[in-house]
Amino acid sequence: MTRPRALVLLGAGVLALVAGASYAVLDDRLGDPYRHRLERYDDQQGERNRFVALPDAPGGRAQLSLGSPDGHRLVVQWRDPDGHGWTAPETVHEDRTHRAVDSTVRMAGGTVAVVETYTDDVHDDSDIGDVDVVVVCRDRRCTPGRTVDGAAVSEPQVTPDGRTVLFGWTRRGAVAWEHDHGFRTWRWTGLDTRRTGVSRPVLAPDGSLRLVRGTRSEGACRYSLLTAPPRSGDLRVSGEQTSPLPPRQHGSECLSSLDTFSSDWVGVEPDDHATDRFWFVRDGQRWTTTAEDPSGLVRGPDLRGDACCELAVNDVGRDEVASFSPDGRRVSVQVHRQGDPTWGSRRLLDAAPADVRCTWLEGSRVGPRGFALRFACHSGPSGPADRFEGDSYAVAVSPDLERWETFFVRDVIGDPLTDEDVGVLVPGRPYTSWTPEGGVQRLGLPQPSGTYVGRAQDGTYVRLALTEGPSGCTGEAVVADPGDQEWSEPVPGSFTAGPAARCRVGYVGLTEDGDALFTLDSDRATRRAEVVREGDGWRLRAGPRG
């Protein structure tokens, strides 16, 4: 089970921010509350902004920004539904002793729930010393909460109507927030928390809790489903399943993990995989068990060895995307929309040609509501060290989880860049990019051997040519705007890397300011060449050593 930690509601630690999306027009006497600029933060001093789209608002461009300028203050800003501006930065929590290190965001029904983790030692990977904070905000107002000791906290769970949030649980009960009553503890009845084998509770769409208690019994695990009425901790046994344990499986504690997005079924995954996954399914007032997945998720074939690629499920704002590859060339995608009781229909997309072998598939968000899957592929043999990076990439991408398109790029340098702001950038031949507005764009200008092409965040293409000489490696850069018919003359500035650096670029990306970045391979300190905006033009310079 998750190790209990201190949970603070408007205190110090994991912050749960519940933000209701109410967009009433303020009295003109108060002026325009959205007249401010967005304050951007980075990971060097604090924590980078996270943006939550609020699609239920009129105008469709409302967002919530959450970040930290210094690692101590947690700051929010609201974007106007028409996108013209932001509210003034508001500090919703400050902890001068601990530093913010991570956040989890969930949203439903106009309510945003954020779990922000603070730590007393950023160099310690364990969660010992982590402190957990919970703040609730609605209508751009934050309400104080209360401190709860010994709470186990994971990602917040929000009902589709946004009226109920489950933050965590203690030996006394579940820590929740209700739209009409604020923070509450749903005190347990019918649950002996001193016993092992109790799962993490899950919140059903109707606001009711489900837990599973596992107990050892004569070479088997007996799993008991405990359910409670909506917004209550009054648990009772609603169903049972006995699963035999394999021979010599003496150490099983019969723990399990649960999932659901329906009030009528609960998936049960035994933690030690000693017994098979199963589901409790409700039929009227009765709960039965089945080995058939009622969620409609297509899980794909069982893969052996280094075959690619197994099922993965990613959160995309309010929704989820499930993906896998059945054969290393095609990609299966399936979407679950928040509030739906089952997954949508599966789509099988052609992604990579027959002359390559793909070995790794991963995804990330792009744009305000989109998602991209990157398929690492190899034109020749690939060993275990090359599994996660290829010399070519296939990309399957959607701006809205409805319309999907794929493209394939060869001779890729390093990993493609996916970003919520810039879309997908693939530094190959030809240089290829994708944005929600413009779709797939391929550079039509020459990319001779020995040159490397990147793109700045404003869309300017940059080509770096490297020349190896007795004193090391020197560079020359040219630029082009989208639609230009030729490259510019060389930009001012210079770049030289000593003999320790190989005259070869191993990574192409962006600087923190959105300029073009080229990282050279090296046996020692990493050398960077940057092409940065200077006035109305560009300049080549050496970046800081890594």
Side-chain angles (χ1 to χ4, degrees):
M1 296 182 68
T2 304
R3 182 175 60 78
R5 299 182 291 177
L7 173 64
V8 182
L9 310 185
L10 193 58
V14 168
L15 168 109
L17 164 70
V18 178
S22 176
Y23 303 99
V25 178
L26 298 181
D27 193 295
D28 288 341
R29 291 173 298 176
L30 300 179
D32 180 8
Y34 300 104
R35 62 184 180 276
H36 303 273
R37 298 181 61 181
L38 173 67
E39 297 289 336
R40 288 191 176 271
Y41 314 122
D42 59 46
D43 294 327
Q44 299 300 315
Q45 300 296 326
E47 188 173 28
R48 188 182 300 273
N49 303 65
R50 292 197 64 170
F51 298 96
V52 183
L54 305 172
D56 297 331
R61 301 184 66 186
Q63 287 184 320
L64 175 70
S65 168
L66 172 78
S68 176
D70 56 7
H72 300 291
R73 290 185 295 125
L74 197 63
V75 178
V76 299
Q77 285 183 267
W78 303 83
R79 189 186 190 190
D80 183 57
D82 66 14
H84 84 267
W86 296 80
T87 59
E90 178 188 1
T91 298
V92 296
H93 175 70
E94 183 172 6
D95 184 338
R96 304 310 303 179
T97 304
H98 301 81
R99 291 188 65 88
V101 293
D102 193 21
S103 61
T104 303
V105 180
R106 297 292 180 267
M107 189 195 77
T111 296
V112 179
V114 180
V115 174
E116 177 72 40
T117 303
Y118 280 80
T119 183
D120 61 353
D121 186 355
V122 296
H123 303 293
D124 186 353
D125 292 334
S126 73
D127 55 6
I128 297 175
D130 288 359
V131 188
D132 306 331
V133 170
V134 180
V135 175
V136 173
C137 299
R138 193 166 185 87
D139 300 336
R140 299 198 312 270
R141 296 180 181 178
C142 297
T143 303
R146 55 192 175 121
T147 300
V148 179
D149 294 326
V153 181
S154 60
E155 63 187 49
Q157 301 177 52
V158 190
T159 56
D161 61 8
R163 299 182 68 84
T164 309
V165 181
L166 175 65
F167 292 124
W169 56 98
T170 71
R171 290 187 178 276
R172 296 187 300 274
V175 180
W177 176 88
E178 299 176 16
H179 176 268
D180 295 329
H181 301 99
F183 284 112
R184 295 189 62 195
T185 297
W186 300 338
R187 295 195 175 276
W188 302 129
T189 60
L191 177 66
D192 184 355
T193 57
R194 296 171 298 178
R195 301 179 61 178
T196 61
V198 179
S199 71
R200 175 179 67 91
V202 293
L203 185 66
D206 63 359
S208 59
L209 292 178
R210 279 81 169 106
L211 293 85
V212 166
R213 181 180 61 220
T215 55
R216 288 289 299 270
S217 175
E218 298 180 355
C221 283
R222 186 173 70 247
Y223 298 102
S224 301
L225 173 66
L226 306 177
T227 63
R231 292 168 290 283
S232 167
D234 185 11
L235 296 164
R236 63 182 180 86
V237 176
S238 298
E240 290 191 330
Q241 160 86 359
T242 299
S243 300
L245 290 167
R248 298 182 297 278
Q249 187 73 31
H250 302 299
S252 178
E253 295 182 349
C254 300
L255 285 166
S256 60
S257 301
L258 312 183
D259 71 89
T260 189
F261 37 78
S262 169
S263 298
D264 294 326
W265 59 261
V266 181
V268 182
E269 180 74 54
D271 283 2
D272 56 12
H273 304 289
T275 57
D276 293 332
R277 180 184 178 92
F278 66 95
W279 289 262
F280 285 104
V281 179
R282 182 165 63 179
D283 182 9
Q285 298 300 314
R286 297 177 58 250
W287 287 85
T288 60
T289 60
T290 178
E292 300 287 332
D293 187 349
S295 73
L297 176 63
V298 179
R299 296 182 176 274
D302 291 330
L303 300 175
R304 305 297 181 187
D306 61 350
C308 178
C309 297
E310 294 181 341
L311 176 72
V313 178
N314 295 90
D315 294 311
V316 186
R318 303 185 303 170
D319 306 316
E320 296 177 296
V321 174
S323 61
F324 68 88
S325 175
D327 53 15
R329 293 189 178 89
R330 294 176 298 168
V331 177
S332 170
V333 294
Q334 201 172 2
V335 176
H336 172 246
R337 296 290 188 181
Q338 187 180 77
D340 290 348
T342 60
W343 288 85
S345 59
R346 180 180 74 138
R347 303 183 188 186
L348 195 57
L349 308 174
D350 293 323
D355 64 336
V356 299
R357 176 174 177 265
C358 302
T359 56
W360 185 251
L361 180 67
E362 63 180 350
S364 59
R365 294 183 62 172
V366 290
R369 300 176 182 87
F371 191 74
L373 289 158
R374 305 179 302 281
F375 215 1
C377 307
H378 307 266
S379 57
S382 62
D386 300 321
R387 178 173 175 79
F388 311 112
E389 183 175 318
D391 56 24
S392 55
Y393 278 81
V395 177
V397 62
S398 172
D400 53 13
L401 308 187
E402 293 286 344
R403 299 164 291 151
W404 290 87
E405 59 183 324
T406 62
F407 60 91
F408 183 77
V409 186
R410 298 182 187 271
D411 297 328
V412 177
I413 304 300
D415 292 327
L417 174 65
T418 56
D419 185 270
E420 293 189 29
D421 293 329
V422 302
V424 183
L425 306 180
V426 187
R429 297 181 191 277
Y431 189 97
T432 306
S433 61
W434 176 92
T435 61
E437 300 80 14
V440 178
Q441 297 180 346
R442 298 182 185 270
L443 178 64
L445 298 177
Q447 296 179 232
S449 177
T451 64
Y452 305 88
V453 173
R455 203 187 77 164
Q457 190 166 338
D458 68 359
T460 302
Y461 292 101
V462 178
R463 191 183 75 186
L464 178 70
L466 297 178
T467 303
E468 191 165 9
S471 59
C473 185
T474 60
E476 181 181 82
V478 295
V479 299
D481 290 328
D484 283 357
Q485 301 302 307
E486 59 183 14
W487 293 102
S488 70
E489 294 296 319
V491 302
S494 63
F495 169 80
T496 302
R502 300 185 184 96
C503 207
R504 183 180 64 202
V505 170
Y507 174 76
V508 178
L510 296 171
T511 69
E512 293 178 0
D513 295 326
D515 297 317
L517 166 67
F518 303 85
T519 301
L520 274 64
D521 291 334
S522 177
D523 292 329
R524 300 178 186 174
T526 301
R527 296 303 304 269
R528 296 158 45 122
E530 300 176 351
V531 181
V532 301
R533 174 70 74 176
E534 186 176 81
D536 294 332
W538 295 86
R539 173 173 289 274
L540 172 64
R541 71 182 187 188
R545 294 194 181 195

